[in-house]
Amino acid sequence: MTEEIIIAGFGGQGVLSMGKILAYSGIMQEQEVSWMPSYGPEMRGGTANVTVILSDERISSPILTEYDTAIILNQQSLDKFEKAVKPGGLLIYDGNGISHHPERKDIRIYRVDAADEAGKLGLAKIFNMIVLGGYLKVNPVVELDNVIKGLKKSLPQRYHHMIPDNEKAIMRGMEIIYPVKGS
Amino acid sequence: MGELKLMKGNEAIAEAAIRAGVDAYFGYPITPQSEVIEYLMVEKPYETTGMVVLQAESEIAAINMVYGAAASGKKAMTSSSSPGISLKQEGISYMAGAELPCLIANVVRGGPGLGTIQPSQADYFQATKGGGHGDYHMIVLAPASVQEMADFVSKGFDLAFKYRTPVMILSDGLIGQMMEKVILSEHTPRWTDEEIIKLSPWATTGKPASRERNIITSLDLDPYRQEEHNIHLQKKYKEIREKEVEYEEIMCEDAEYLFVAYGSSSRIAQKAIKLGREKGIKAGLLRPITLYPFPSEAIRRLSQQVKGILSLEMSAGQMIEDIRLSVDCEMKVEHFGRMGGVIHSPAEALQALEEKIIGG
């Protein structure tokens, strides 16, 4: 198994930390992992992305041009990465702020309205965990137990009291994600 | 087994330095390697192992602090990225001349000049051919993973003290910024004053009545003595070339074409090889682990097996000169690489192999 993922959105949406939690979850599941952030001028302009690879084998290139899965949190990232999903691959996006929706017919497209849901739950800070939950519902690359262990490893001790809320957010994401018809 | 962590390459260098019993880190922040000093400032090893961590007023000050610490037999290191490493060249040349062991990590970014903050491998010439003035070489280690970023700290110091010479870890923004699993070694205590006197009898540790003064200098105005010193240095570099070459061969057994790539490009080459083999192209990879000394013999041997060699570097083609010097037949040796902070993709690397070597 090798899963090559791009997570992309605005800086501050928790893109990099979602990737980190996913990578830690992979470690808990005894997978090989890599996490490669954008750190260049694009990031300083407000967008952030991270490539996460989970694999049973030694990982070669941490930099890719096409992905099994794209997790997309804003319009710029959708415009940039929709075309980078491998045929048959998976695209998950949050509809918040999206005016041009994905159009490809040769990939599986799912929508998770995590920003709205986070607002309703009053859990804006863990919006990214709702997205992660949605992804894990569609593609359970790591088991939920290992995600919780990954959270414990990646969050500093002072945030450990927030783990139940994170777990709740993941569960909620699993419930609200839905396939976009016609994809 | 040691502790397993998910870390950035830069953080791995810093943590490995604490665990290797390093006495002092002197640095100055620059993207994409600032996490080295940031990590050390958070971990505060000066409160645990006693390791000094100091942000100097400049890169030049930092390398000269390394000179001072190394002269007294301490394990001292610095790190920077390309423009900062250029500033350190005078100090590095002085340390090579004065035969001082130290570790310098260069997390390379695109150049020339201030360039960009994105990854590059365009400092190969500077690292392997001198960089500073005079006839000298550093031992240059090229990590291709976060694990090797950690492992090459203690390995670098072992080599530095074995040969009394500066050692460089030559990585780039990709290996520095990415996170991977790393297994950390156990803590090695810092050397005691007694151990330093025993291990490095040349060091300026305070003159007892029982020996002559130890003098650390790169200056000798007598040209004949200076020539003697140069001959001695060259003898040392020859020994390093004979004994310390390290490389890795990946899928070379049946290879008809060969990539030569180090560091992050070697990772990209491995993916390109996988993509190529899906199309029936039998390519392999020779990954130099030491760039100085360069694995010339291994490349010469493989050149008798393959039909062509592609040097993959994020530069205009620097290592290719050493590859061409290693190959004495009419072998097709070409270069491919993006520049200025752009990272070539595995697909681009494979396409270059097909166009420049197989079809060319």
Side-chain angles (χ1 to χ4, degrees):
Chain A
M1 187 285 296
T2 297
E3 171 78 350
E4 297 172 334
I5 310 156
I6 180 92
I7 309 172
F10 288 119
Q13 278 182 314
V15 165
L16 300 187
S17 63
M18 191 195 327
K20 196 170 163 185
I21 290 160
L22 196 53
Y24 259 118
S25 310
I27 290 181
M28 296 302 134
Q29 201 148 311
E30 293 180 0
Q31 293 168 335
E32 296 300 320
V33 303
S34 78
W35 176 96
M36 180 66 208
S38 59
Y39 67 92
E42 54 185 328
M43 184 175 159
R44 292 173 187 202
T47 64
N49 70 65
V50 61
T51 302
V52 177
I53 305 175
L54 307 173
S55 183
D56 298 329
E57 297 163 26
R58 179 173 156 177
I59 292 166
S60 56
S61 176
I63 291 285
L64 303 162
T65 41
E66 50 175 19
Y67 307 90
D68 298 307
T69 297
I71 299 174
I72 302 297
L73 303 177
N74 68 7
Q75 186 71 55
Q76 290 103 308
S77 303
L78 184 59
D79 296 343
K80 190 170 173 190
F81 292 113
E82 181 184 0
K83 54 183 178 289
V85 179
K86 293 178 195 171
L90 176 65
L91 188 152
I92 292 173
Y93 76 108
D94 186 323
N96 185 43
I98 299 291
S99 50
H100 306 290
H101 290 261
E103 289 172 349
R104 276 178 65 179
K105 303 293 176 206
D106 62 335
I107 57 174
R108 292 172 297 142
I109 300 174
Y110 284 76
R111 182 165 161 175
V112 57
D113 288 334
D116 289 350
E117 192 63 26
K120 280 184 218 160
L121 294 173
L123 296 172
K125 272 189 182 166
I126 46 177
F127 143 81
N128 59 349
M129 291 296 99
I130 300 178
V131 179
L132 180 63
Y135 167 61
L136 294 174
K137 169 76 178 183
V138 180
N139 190 1
V141 278
V142 282
E143 290 165 19
L144 190 57
D145 277 2
N146 289 324
V147 178
I148 304 304
K149 282 187 205 157
L151 270 167
K152 280 185 189 149
K153 279 284 259 184
S154 75
L155 287 177
Q157 192 77 35
R158 65 183 184 278
Y159 293 127
H160 278 199
H161 67 278
M162 290 180 68
I163 288 174
D165 274 351
N166 278 271
E167 194 172 354
K168 191 171 144 193
I170 291 169
M171 302 309 288
R172 191 67 192 133
M174 289 180 163
E175 287 162 14
I176 66 167
I177 191 160
Y178 63 95
V180 174
K181 276 183 193 152
S183 65
Chain B
M1 197 171 96
E3 198 180 339
L4 177 76
K5 280 199 165 183
L6 181 71
M7 296 184 115
K8 284 191 173 195
N10 289 334
E11 295 168 341
I13 286 183
E15 178 63 36
I18 299 170
R19 288 174 184 249
V22 170
D23 294 300
Y25 171 91
F26 305 105
Y28 188 82
I30 180 172
T31 307
Q33 68 78 55
S34 295
E35 291 86 358
V36 179
I37 193 167
E38 285 170 10
Y39 187 94
L40 289 169
M41 287 297 184
V42 169
E43 289 299 311
K44 298 186 174 71
Y46 34 88
E47 291 176 0
T48 51
T49 71
M51 175 183 175
V52 171
V53 182
L54 195 146
Q55 179 176 329
E57 67 268 35
S58 71
E59 287 88 347
I60 298 168
I63 192 70
N64 286 305
M65 288 173 183
V66 172
Y67 185 114
S72 55
K74 301 283 186 183
K75 279 190 193 173
M77 68 180 287
T78 185
S79 66
S80 190
S81 179
S82 308
I85 295 290
S86 291
L87 286 168
K88 293 182 195 287
Q89 291 304 325
E90 180 194 37
I92 295 171
S93 170
Y94 277 45
M95 293 183 84
E99 297 197 85
L100 291 176
C102 72
L103 184 68
I104 304 141
N106 184 0
V107 184
V108 180
R109 59 189 250 178
L114 266 184
T116 174
I117 60 172
Q118 298 287 68
S120 165
Q121 294 180 310
D123 294 1
Y124 178 91
F125 282 153
Q126 186 194 52
T128 61
K129 310 295 177 192
H133 58 282
D135 269 327
Y136 80 93
H137 284 285
M138 286 182 287
I139 296 173
V140 182
L141 306 173
S145 64
V146 175
Q147 183 69 55
E148 286 187 342
M149 287 287 251
D151 294 347
F152 287 3
V153 171
S154 53
K155 183 192 188 74
F157 274 108
D158 288 349
L159 289 165
F161 276 87
K162 182 174 175 188
Y163 292 102
R164 283 186 61 186
T165 193
V167 172
M168 175 170 278
I169 293 178
L170 189 73
S171 71
D172 61 61
L174 197 156
I175 303 287
Q177 291 295 325
M178 75 183 290
M179 288 204 291
E180 287 186 307
K181 276 201 275 197
V182 52
I183 296 167
L184 297 163
S185 64
E186 301 298 328
H187 282 270
T188 304
R190 288 173 51 231
W191 289 331
T192 62
D193 290 349
E194 293 71 30
E195 283 171 323
I196 288 173
I197 289 167
K198 211 171 141 215
L199 289 163
S200 302
W202 48 265
T204 50
T205 45
K207 182 193 170 303
S210 56
R211 65 160 167 83
E212 290 299 300
R213 281 194 302 159
N214 282 341
I215 298 171
I216 304 290
T217 181
S218 64
L219 175 71
D220 193 336
L221 292 174
D222 179 332
Y224 297 100
R225 279 204 309 265
Q226 189 60 260
E227 185 183 43
E228 275 306 306
H229 179 57
N230 268 273
I231 290 167
H232 161 73
L233 290 178
Q234 292 305 319
K235 227 173 106 187
K236 173 160 81 177
Y237 301 141
K238 184 163 180 282
E239 189 185 347
I240 289 169
R241 286 197 299 273
E242 286 165 358
K243 290 185 180 165
E244 305 299 344
V245 172
E246 270 194 62
Y247 59 89
E248 185 183 12
E249 287 179 45
I250 295 168
M251 304 188 96
C252 285
E253 301 79 22
D254 63 343
E256 293 175 2
Y257 304 98
L258 186 69
F259 279 103
V260 180
Y262 67 92
S264 47
S265 277
S266 73
R267 301 282 296 264
I268 294 158
Q270 284 174 63
K271 183 95 181 176
I273 289 165
K274 189 164 170 269
L275 296 174
R277 282 179 180 257
E278 285 167 10
K279 294 167 72 174
I281 297 167
K282 285 184 187 165
L285 169 68
L286 186 288
R287 171 172 85 94
I289 293 171
T290 53
L291 296 175
Y292 189 91
F294 192 70
S296 296
E297 279 304 317
I299 292 173
R300 184 170 299 134
R301 170 171 51 75
L302 284 165
S303 73
Q304 286 155 8
Q305 171 194 325
V306 300
K307 297 174 190 162
I309 298 175
L310 186 71
S311 176
L312 184 70
E313 317 166 62
M314 292 189 281
S315 73
Q318 301 192 2
M319 180 177 65
I320 188 171
E321 294 190 2
D322 287 326
I323 300 170
R324 284 193 169 135
L325 287 170
S326 306
V327 174
D328 42 23
C329 55
E330 293 283 307
M331 164 81 31
K332 187 185 282 183
V333 181
E334 298 292 342
H335 159 80
F336 175 72
R338 301 294 297 266
M339 291 178 281
V342 180
I343 305 166
H344 29 242
S345 70
E348 284 176 317
L350 178 61
Q351 193 187 347
L353 182 76
E354 289 180 277
E355 288 174 2
K356 294 187 169 204
I357 303 296
I358 300 173

